Amino acid sequence: MARFRRKSCVPLIALVMLVLIMTVVLKVLIPEDSPFGGPFGVEPFTERKNTIQGENKNKPDQIQMNSSSESHEDAELAAILRRFPPPNYRLHAFYYSWYGNPKFDGEYIHWSHPQLPHWDIKVAQGYPQGKHSPPEDIGSNFYPFLGTYSSRDPVVIAGHMQQLRAAAIGVIAVSWYPPHMSDDNGEPQEDLVHLLLEMAHKYNIKVAFHIEPFKGRDVNMYSNVKYIIDKYGEHPAFFKYRTNNGKLLPLFYVYDSYLLNSDQWSKLLKHTHSESIRDTPYDALFIALLVEEKHKRDILTSGFDGVYTYFATNGFSYGSTQRNWDSIKAFCENNDLLFIPSVGPGYIDTSIRPWNFQNTRNRIGGKYYENSLSAALRARPDLISITSFNEWHEGTQIEMAIPKTGQTVYLDYLPNKPAVYLEITRKWAVIFDTERQKWKE
């Protein structure tokens, strides 16, 4: 956290001005009576405030002033939360904290993906190679409402949490790599987890972990699960799922789980193995990625607790093909597995994979997303996962966005407003809850 404090303790007056600007912009974009109309930026004062308190612990008058300020901020936050619907903890969104910008990270990270087809043009115009690039490199039909943000910026995290609450999303599944590790185009992010948990807790949101296929996962999975639970398992925002037999267990999504064979997974997940994690303090629910139909057999023999489908492209894989969801649900019911279909607002990744145009799925003004949510509910899932809150490279984001022109094209939100996908999500969160009550009858 030392790195975060060093970079985030900017002058308080600048932070106040930023919050005020964002509030004005949001009020212009969203009607006053909308549940999405609360101002961003309440929470970022917490980190700065705590630093001030630590620096002035021998000054009683200063401490009293900070306590009063804290009470005021708590009251503001409570007022904002009253405008939002209650979170649905069966609705999960995949969340990425890999973005960076010069202010917080010294460079642009992930906004300027090295595989962008116009990258060579930028280099030819004199921009340096690597992850550094100007913000216009993310140019698109629609652009993040918060700009080319840093995932380390507490204003951004607070803004994301407010958007998630406005959408009634109860859980974020955070892309996770072990300390000092990251994807090929990013930087390590594990040091951000505590801040995400703290901010999520203030908004009554829970945090699950989406474990990526890092190098050495085959031999280090037990130790990494142990690391996560030891470090974060007692945090009130750490997501735990109550099973049918009454156990309250952490839930881990395991991306590309099929990369390890069932013999390797069963050593971790089957009671019969001496090295198993089962019935230890680190037992959890492990959710496998179902891509091909043959993976169903492997998932069973591996000892997984459920399946998810991740991909937002209907028809891309067996698991992501919506007409297969009824049979996948039946398979899960017959084998005591959780079924977690993944839905998305659309898909386009041709800016980083120019050859993949056949998997583009147009948003159709929100209809694609609503059709996906409807298909998921017809299968009576245990949970629903959303791909994604903010995976901009693949055009699956439901995060608020504003128009911007440029070279890289994302599927846009027009003619709808910036919060349209949050509103759709909120509507279906209520429908999901209502339908679940009917299923119990």
Side-chain angles (χ1 to χ4, degrees), residues 357-425:
F357 61 88
Q358 72 274 14
N359 283 315
T360 295
R361 297 293 183 271
N362 197 289
R363 293 179 176 240
I364 324 174
K367 290 181 181 178
Y368 182 88
Y369 190 34
E370 300 222 43
N371 290 339
S372 298
L373 286 157
S374 179
L377 283 191
R378 286 196 299 272
R380 298 192 173 194
D382 298 286
L383 308 169
I384 293 176
S385 54
I386 299 169
T387 306
S388 64
F389 178 74
N390 63 337
E391 221 295 21
W392 285 85
H393 309 93
E394 295 180 349
T396 63
Q397 79 285 345
I398 63 169
E399 179 180 2
M400 287 178 64
I402 54 176
K404 182 179 174 67
T405 58
Q407 294 172 326
T408 304
V409 177
Y410 296 120
L411 295 176
D412 63 44
Y413 295 9
L414 292 174
N416 299 300
K417 58 187 177 182
V420 59
Y421 291 99
L422 305 182
E423 294 177 343
I424 293 172
T425 306

Side-chain angles (χ1 to χ4, degrees), residues 182-369:
S182 69
D183 67 287
D184 292 340
N185 300 301
E187 296 289 342
Q189 312 145 35
E190 204 284 328
D191 62 320
L192 278 174
V193 172
H194 182 74
L195 177 60
L196 285 169
L197 285 162
E198 287 290 295
M199 202 74 80
H201 179 54
K202 293 173 186 289
Y203 287 86
N204 302 317
I205 291 170
K206 304 297 182 184
V207 177
F209 289 76
H210 192 192
I211 298 180
E212 300 284 359
F214 55 86
K215 184 178 180 180
R217 187 172 71 173
D218 54 339
V219 294
N220 294 317
M221 190 68 177
Y222 192 125
S223 61
N224 281 282
V225 169
K226 181 178 183 296
Y227 170 87
I228 291 171
I229 293 176
D230 280 345
K231 189 165 185 179
Y232 307 116
E234 296 304 315
H235 196 284
F238 185 82
F239 178 67
K240 294 179 182 179
Y241 181 86
R242 190 170 297 280
T243 64
N244 290 335
N245 60 12
K247 286 186 177 180
L248 198 61
L249 295 175
L251 185 148
F252 295 102
Y253 292 94
V254 185
Y255 189 72
D256 279 358
S257 50
Y258 57 84
L259 292 177
L260 300 184
N261 63 46
S262 55
D263 288 339
Q264 291 173 297
W265 280 120
S266 63
K267 291 177 182 178
L268 177 75
L269 302 177
K270 284 290 190 77
H271 292 83
T272 52
H273 286 271
S274 58
E275 304 166 31
S276 173
I277 206 167
R278 300 304 187 187
D279 298 324
T280 73
Y282 307 105
D283 199 357
L285 298 173
F286 295 88
I287 310 301
L289 176 59
L290 177 62
V291 179
E292 300 179 39
E293 185 171 13
K294 67 179 182 181
H295 291 159
K296 293 195 291 189
R297 180 185 65 253
D298 297 333
I299 287 166
L300 276 182
T301 56
S302 295
F304 279 98
D305 302 286
V307 305
Y308 75 116
T309 60
Y310 187 75
F311 301 107
T313 300
N314 181 22
F316 168 68
S317 67
Y318 168 79
S320 70
T321 301
Q322 294 165 12
R323 67 173 180 269
N324 296 330
W325 286 354
D326 284 338
S327 63
I328 295 172
K329 169 63 176 178
F331 163 77
C332 289
E333 278 192 336
N334 292 336
N335 294 284
D336 196 26
L337 298 174
L338 293 173
F339 176 46
I340 312 176
S342 302
V343 301
Y347 190 89
I348 183 168
D349 67 353
T350 50
S351 63
I352 58 172
R353 303 181 188 99
W355 62 88
N356 199 32
F357 61 88
Q358 72 274 14
N359 283 315
T360 295
R361 297 293 183 271
N362 197 289
R363 293 179 176 240
I364 324 174
K367 290 181 181 178
Y368 182 88
Y369 190 34

Side-chain angles (χ1 to χ4, degrees), residues 139-154:
S140 61
N141 286 84
F142 257 59
Y143 188 77
F145 177 83
L146 298 173
T148 46
Y149 55 74
S150 169
S151 295
R152 296 183 176 279
D153 185 345

Side-chain angles (χ1 to χ4, degrees), residues 64-236:
Q64 186 175 4
M65 182 189 73
N66 287 327
S67 298
S68 175
S69 175
E70 184 176 72
S71 298
H72 177 67
E73 289 167 22
D74 289 344
E76 279 192 62
L77 178 58
I80 290 171
L81 295 181
R82 281 194 294 271
R83 303 181 68 182
F84 293 153
N88 187 330
Y89 295 112
R90 291 183 177 272
L91 191 61
H92 299 188
F94 294 111
Y95 183 90
Y96 293 88
S97 58
W98 57 22
Y99 298 104
N101 63 27
K103 179 179 178 181
F104 284 85
D105 308 273
E107 58 186 343
Y108 288 100
I109 301 173
H110 260 283
W111 294 121
S112 49
H113 199 293
Q115 294 181 27
L116 288 176
H118 59 275
W119 184 253
D120 291 338
I121 296 173
K122 290 292 184 185
V123 172
Q125 291 175 343
Y127 293 109
Q129 292 186 345
K131 287 167 288 189
H132 303 265
S133 75
E136 57 266 28
D137 215 3
I138 192 65
S140 61
N141 286 84
F142 257 59
Y143 188 77
F145 177 83
L146 298 173
T148 46
Y149 55 74
S150 169
S151 295
R152 296 183 176 279
D153 185 345
V155 173
V156 167
I157 298 174
H160 283 171
M161 294 303 165
Q162 289 195 22
Q163 291 185 43
L164 289 157
R165 270 305 307 272
I169 293 169
V171 179
I172 55 172
V174 176
S175 173
W176 188 84
Y177 288 87
H180 315 299
M181 298 184 71
S182 69
D183 67 287
D184 292 340
N185 300 301
E187 296 289 342
Q189 312 145 35
E190 204 284 328
D191 62 320
L192 278 174
V193 172
H194 182 74
L195 177 60
L196 285 169
L197 285 162
E198 287 290 295
M199 202 74 80
H201 179 54
K202 293 173 186 289
Y203 287 86
N204 302 317
I205 291 170
K206 304 297 182 184
V207 177
F209 289 76
H210 192 192
I211 298 180
E212 300 284 359
F214 55 86
K215 184 178 180 180
R217 187 172 71 173
D218 54 339
V219 294
N220 294 317
M221 190 68 177
Y222 192 125
S223 61
N224 281 282
V225 169
K226 181 178 183 296
Y227 170 87
I228 291 171
I229 293 176
D230 280 345
K231 189 165 185 179
Y232 307 116
E234 296 304 315
H235 196 284

